[in-house]
Amino acid sequence: MSNPERTTDTPATDTPASATPAWEQRFRAPRVSLPDWAEEAPQRALFVSNATGTYELYAWDRETGEQRQVTDRANGTTDGVLTPDGESIWWFSDSDGDEFGVWMRQPFAGGEDVPAVPALEASYPAGLALGLDGTLVIGRSTDDDGSTIHLLRAGAADPVEIYRHRESAGVGDLSHDSSLIAVEHTEHGDAMHSSLRVLRTSDTGVVAELDDTRGGTAELGLAVLGFAPVDGDTRLLVGHQRRGRWEPMIWDPVAGTETELAIDLPGDVSADWYPDGSALLIGHSFEARDELWRYEITTSLLTRVDTPPGSVSGATARPDGSVEYLWSSAAKPPVVRSTAGGVVLDPPGAKAPDSVPVETVWVDGPAGRIHALVQRPENTRGPLPTVFEIHGGPTHHDSDVFTSGTAAWVDHGFAVVRVNYRGSTGYGREWTDALKHRVGLIELEDIAAVREWAVTSGLADPARIVLSGGSWGGYLTLLGLGTQPDAWALGLAAVPVADYVTAYHDEMEALKALDRTLFGGTPEEVPDRFRDSSPLTYVDDVRVPVYISAGVNDPRCPLQQIDNYVDRLAARDAVHEVYRYDAGHGSLVVEERIKQVRLEIDFAQRHLG
């Protein structure tokens, strides 16, 4: 199912690298994603790179070493998948970042782009599953239709609609032999906790249901992690929250069995199959760092897969048993490594300069200890000008991962503090689910507690603390400037929610469902909650300079509601600047990203002195 969250995560130049600031070099340095590979043709791979200065899809023949650019669009392309036979590449074509479009298909070896399923009109994507035999399952979301799922059987001319509901739903997976379809849905009305349904491909009849919401009395979610990669094997790997955190189990919807796994690790646990179906590749996220493990299903043996301390942004088990993973830390730029040894995909060009390591701190907050991550310039003593860089989501968390934007602030003499407030993932279900009804205000209580620590510990200069963030972090920035006007020296809000009522009515359907879950209803049903949590309510209390950036095609935090907030600032001549750019919820163009960071740093330096 598509992720209903507000999250934001090199052109040729004649300027010598030595003359370019290190922070700009980090943005322009060549980057690649973890390569995806075709199940029946593992030598064929697909990855994302910024090699041209815009993030685009690239095909890679691992036997010959040949690489070629698949997509070439002004605002970039990152959503793509290989067909299981490796013959074709599917990529999602929207309009300038608006996330509304159709799936296109291109031969792996190159050729014309054609609509992959011409009979389906444009929509927001809601999952995709491609079968070995040519069976296709496509999820769609539109304001008019809600969620729909369509099945194109192997050899059929046109797809048939097999699912429709107003609430959020999407494609989970298709079994290896294309006989079963797993669907994630939120028909119960809780967009943060999905239930599962398995259908037969032959007649679309229901095989089984799995529902941990228990009539709405217990907020427990489920997630499809994937069918076993073996013909005739009906086992489905499922994520669940029954013990207060995310962890996997094996559900056989045909046999009607559930098998819990003996994985005794303290943090959130995810899993994927090894290609032969005998073992699981385990991802373990705990206190902002990641580990990998191998779990033998028959013996329950859990063995550590050696990775350096830091964050693993993706991992895959290859047919030879090796594991490839994308790794970075706050100090070290990302690299795709293999347990077989060496770097898997090393793009040409100057490497990104290192940054500084992260320090972790725990601060007592109003509802428990709060985990915060701190980076500061080397060989400096406080108090320092400090940026509170607030993550988006809200169901996301900051980690020990390399971030060019954070490193840029450190290079300019700022300490950076990132807070995994209530609502963040990675600290158990109760911490994540605490974000209800008092939306925004709960997170800001935790951020205020960490701000107090930053001042009393001597890290931050209380007169030069910046509140900053993108997406949900931008929303919290504007809300914090109005509800905590004495705490912040200025605010930097990228693609924020600024007027929550207008945002609700203009945003994509999946986010409407999320907001109904967070607030307990629509703006018409619970107007007081929306009013209390909207930055627009407090705009006249903002006393410090405000910088806002917005994508004109953003479907998640649409432009009109930002304009409503800006108009209120302008009406009383409040100090503010607005930058609008031609993209959606963030930009995939490297120079545009650099420009936006440069504008933010310049704004802060001018107003902080």
Side-chain angles (χ1 to χ4, degrees), residues 274-276 281 294 305 316-324 338-340:
Y274 273 79
D276 63 0
L281 177 60
R294 178 183 171 109
V305 177
T316 181
R318 295 279 293 170
D320 64 0
S322 65
V323 174
E324 295 176 353
S338 172
T339 57

Side-chain angles (χ1 to χ4, degrees), residues 121-445:
E121 296 180 353
S123 69
Y124 297 110
L128 174 70
L130 307 178
L132 293 168
D133 64 351
T135 299
L136 312 173
V137 189
I138 306 102
R140 302 171 66 251
S141 174
T142 66
D143 292 342
D144 293 336
D145 298 332
S147 301
T148 61
I149 296 176
H150 305 261
L151 169 65
L152 182 61
R153 296 184 177 90
D158 294 310
V160 294
E161 183 181 296
I162 63 172
Y163 181 92
R164 176 182 291 260
H165 202 278
R166 286 304 310 171
E167 299 292 345
S168 295
V171 179
D173 198 17
L174 181 66
S175 64
H176 194 263
D177 60 6
S178 297
S179 64
L180 300 174
I181 302 166
V183 173
E184 292 185 6
H185 70 84
T186 59
E187 295 173 6
H188 42 67
D190 182 350
M192 295 180 67
H193 302 93
S194 294
S195 298
L196 306 184
R197 179 174 298 146
V198 173
L199 309 175
R200 284 186 300 272
T201 307
S202 59
D203 61 3
T204 68
V206 175
V207 176
E209 305 260 11
L210 196 60
D211 182 2
D212 275 7
T213 59
R214 299 170 190 169
T217 59
E219 298 173 332
L220 300 174
L222 296 166
V224 172
L225 303 180
F227 278 105
V230 179
D231 268 351
D233 193 333
T234 56
R235 293 176 299 166
L236 179 62
L237 196 59
V238 170
H240 69 92
Q241 297 179 300
R242 295 172 181 176
R243 297 194 296 182
R245 58 172 185 149
W246 280 109
E247 56 186 314
M249 70 175 181
I250 295 174
W251 176 42
D252 190 327
V254 175
T257 59
E258 298 176 16
T259 305
E260 294 195 3
L261 306 178
I263 301 175
D264 188 17
L265 298 171
D268 281 350
V269 178
S270 62
D272 196 4
W273 298 93
Y274 273 79
D276 63 0
S278 67
L280 302 177
L281 177 60
I282 300 297
H284 177 226
S285 178
F286 183 60
E287 296 185 350
R289 291 184 172 90
D290 300 321
E291 301 172 340
L292 295 177
W293 299 76
R294 178 183 171 109
Y295 179 82
E296 303 292 342
I297 295 174
T298 57
T299 65
S300 301
L301 178 65
L302 189 64
T303 306
R304 178 75 183 271
V305 177
D306 188 34
T307 60
S311 292
V312 176
S313 300
T316 181
R318 295 279 293 170
D320 64 0
S322 65
V323 174
E324 295 176 353
Y325 59 96
L326 178 61
W327 174 91
S328 73
S329 70
K332 297 293 183 180
V335 60
V336 181
R337 295 180 171 177
S338 172
T339 57
V343 174
V344 174
L345 190 57
D346 190 14
K351 306 305 180 189
D354 291 351
S355 185
V356 297
V358 71
E359 308 166 30
T360 64
V361 297
W362 290 89
V363 177
D364 290 334
R369 295 200 311 156
I370 307 161
H371 195 199
L373 309 176
V374 178
Q375 289 174 262
R376 68 182 89 199
E378 293 182 321
N379 304 316
T380 58
R381 298 178 61 185
L384 297 168
T386 300
V387 175
F388 270 65
E389 195 172 69
I390 309 304
H391 72 71
T395 50
H396 181 64
H397 68 272
D398 280 316
S399 60
D400 183 9
V401 67
F402 192 83
T403 306
S404 296
T406 301
W409 285 108
V410 174
D411 284 3
H412 284 82
F414 290 79
V416 178
V417 179
R418 295 177 288 158
V419 182
N420 285 329
Y421 50 75
R422 275 173 289 168
S424 302
T425 56
Y427 300 88
R429 180 180 61 83
E430 290 186 4
W431 191 259
T432 302
D433 289 352
L435 183 58
K436 291 288 182 68
H437 299 174
R438 294 183 60 248
V439 176
L441 304 173
I442 290 173
E443 303 98 291
L444 286 168
E445 290 175 354

